[in-house]
């Protein structure tokens, strides 16, 4: 029986993480791998790791995280926003890695067929603390800054040509909804995204204000609406299994060395989903 594995937030440019890619290996020649974003910040590093993983696994499905979408001075690829995302999609197609722009693959090894839906949705600052409810977006961000947290996306994740990250998110929600609605009704789904689709995984955040950069209320019912058997995500660096409305949520992130070194179980760069 083939296995379906998942990983995210490999952050291979952080010292100590790159060697762990060697542990992301299949158990059988027919195993598939889901990569839920944040492989690296530099485009060439992202494609290099995905190419290595594709050589090992029968199929690899990737969605972008915020780090892949950053445009930094050290990256030879200076494309921004949508153009950067499209560049990564084209590079993935060259190495036979599936993206949110490709036909959804179907996992046929459960009781019913499960369509794997790689989703690129972003966030829209709608996950607020009670103190930030009703405030303008900039005021909510300022409140987070005063609490001691500000996502680096504010400096490096450009929404071009959209006027804002919220507008980009709204368009991605629309695109994703239309594709999800086209999945056959007799299929269950495996929803994979970098940012969690439901807010409950953000509850353990040390800074609850960081939830601003973690998702959107527009996807809160997708696990029910689109018949999910499991929702796979990363971003939070809180790897664990949870449940909402009877649906399993799996955060599959590795995280930074300073994080996994504190855990008694050490680094876990690969999780089995099925």
């Amino acid at each position: 029986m083939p296995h379906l594995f998942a990983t995210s937030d490999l952050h291979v440019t952080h010292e100590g993480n790159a060697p762990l890619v060697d542990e992301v290996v299949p158990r059988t020649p027919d195993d598939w791998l889901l990569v839920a974003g944040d492989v690296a910040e530099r485009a060439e590093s992202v494609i290099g790791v995905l190419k290595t993983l594709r050589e090992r696994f029968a199929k690899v499905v990737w969605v972008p995280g915020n780090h892949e979408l950053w445009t930094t001075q050290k990256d030879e690829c200076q494309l921004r926003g949508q153009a950067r995302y499209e560049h990564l999609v084209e590079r993935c197609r060259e190495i036979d890695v599936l993206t949110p722009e490709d036909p959804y693959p179907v996992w046929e090894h459960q009781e019913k067929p499960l369509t794997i839906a790689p989703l690129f949705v972003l966030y829209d600052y709608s996950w607020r603390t009670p103190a930030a409810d009703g405030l303008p977006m900039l005021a909510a961000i300022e409140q987070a800054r005063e609490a001691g947290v500000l996502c680096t996306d504010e400096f490096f994740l450009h929404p071009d040509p959209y006027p804002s990250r919220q507008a980009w998110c709204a368009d991605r929600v629309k695109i994703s909804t239309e594709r999800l609605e086209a999945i056959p009704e007799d299929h269950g789904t495996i929803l994979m995204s970098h940012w969690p689709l439901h807010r409950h995984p953000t509850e353990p955040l040390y800074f609850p204000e960081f939830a601003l950069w973690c998702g959107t209320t527009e996807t809160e019912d997708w696990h029910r609406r689109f018949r999910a058997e499991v929702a796979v995500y990363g971003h939070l660096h809180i790897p664990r299994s949870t449940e909402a409305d009877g649906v399993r949520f799996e955060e599959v992130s590795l995280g930074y060395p300073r994080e996994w070194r504190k855990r008694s179980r050490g680094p876990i760069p690969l999780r089995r989903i099925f």
Side-chain angles (χ1 to χ4, degrees):
M1 176 71 72
H3 302 86
L4 179 64
F5 288 104
T7 187
S8 78
D9 297 79
L10 291 172
H11 294 292
V12 298
T13 57
H14 286 253
E15 186 175 356
N17 273 18
L20 295 173
V21 176
D22 292 339
E23 298 182 24
V24 183
V25 293
R27 295 184 187 175
T28 80
D30 297 321
D31 290 351
W32 291 14
L33 177 67
L34 310 181
V35 183
D38 278 9
V39 174
E41 294 79 23
R42 301 180 190 179
E44 287 303 319
S45 297
V46 173
I47 299 304
V49 171
L50 290 175
K51 182 179 180 181
T52 295
L53 297 175
R54 178 62 186 88
E55 291 168 352
R56 298 174 185 169
F57 288 83
K59 194 177 292 293
V60 174
V61 186
W62 167 84
V63 295
N66 52 314
H67 284 238
E68 279 104 342
L69 299 173
W70 286 0
T71 305
T72 63
Q73 292 182 348
K74 295 181 179 180
D75 194 348
E76 293 181 0
C77 177
Q78 287 295 297
L79 295 170
R80 293 160 56 124
Q82 178 70 16
R84 183 177 183 86
Y85 171 60
E86 290 175 354
H87 171 74
L88 290 169
V89 167
E90 289 304 313
R91 295 294 306 278
C92 282
R93 286 172 172 166
E94 292 172 3
I95 59 174
D96 192 30
V97 169
L98 296 178
T99 76
E101 307 311 308
D102 297 309
Y104 290 164
V106 178
W107 183 253
E108 298 180 338
H109 304 287
Q110 297 300 113
E111 293 181 0
K112 60 182 175 182
L114 301 177
T115 294
I116 297 174
L119 304 170
F120 169 38
V121 179
L122 276 165
Y123 53 86
D124 61 5
Y125 303 93
S126 58
W127 287 358
R128 306 287 189 88
T129 62
D133 277 346
L135 293 179
M137 185 267 290
L138 291 178
I141 292 175
E142 182 58 30
Q143 184 189 78
R145 187 201 301 268
E146 292 173 355
V149 60
L150 182 69
C151 186
T152 310
D153 291 2
E154 296 298 318
F155 306 100
F156 296 136
L157 202 167
H158 307 286
D160 311 24
Y162 296 90
S164 65
R165 297 180 193 88
Q166 304 100 294
W168 196 5
C169 174
D171 193 43
R172 292 305 312 182
V173 167
K174 179 177 181 293
I175 292 169
S176 301
T177 300
E178 291 173 352
R179 296 201 62 192
L180 288 166
E181 288 176 342
I183 294 173
E185 292 187 3
D186 61 339
H187 283 213
T189 62
I190 298 167
L191 305 180
M192 65 172 290
S193 56
H194 178 66
W195 296 272
L197 300 176
H198 191 273
R199 187 168 180 173
H200 82 269
T202 68
E203 292 170 359
L205 285 173
Y206 185 79
F207 291 102
E209 295 82 3
F210 188 72
L212 279 172
W213 295 276
C214 294
T216 169
T217 56
E218 296 297 319
T219 64
E220 290 274 289
D221 68 342
W222 281 13
H223 59 292
R224 300 190 310 272
R225 180 179 173 188
F226 298 116
R227 307 175 301 281
E229 289 286 324
V230 60
V232 175
Y233 67 97
H235 189 58
L236 304 180
H237 297 192
I238 310 173
R240 60 184 183 139
S241 299
T242 56
E243 187 176 290
D245 304 308
V247 176
R248 180 164 54 110
F249 281 71
E250 294 283 356
E251 175 164 353
V252 297
S253 58
L254 170 62
Y256 299 130
R258 68 174 183 269
E259 295 166 330
W260 54 255
R261 284 174 179 151
K262 296 177 181 178
R263 299 172 187 144
S264 59
R265 57 184 178 173
I268 301 178
L270 187 66
R271 295 278 296 277
R272 183 170 64 85
I273 305 302
F274 288 114

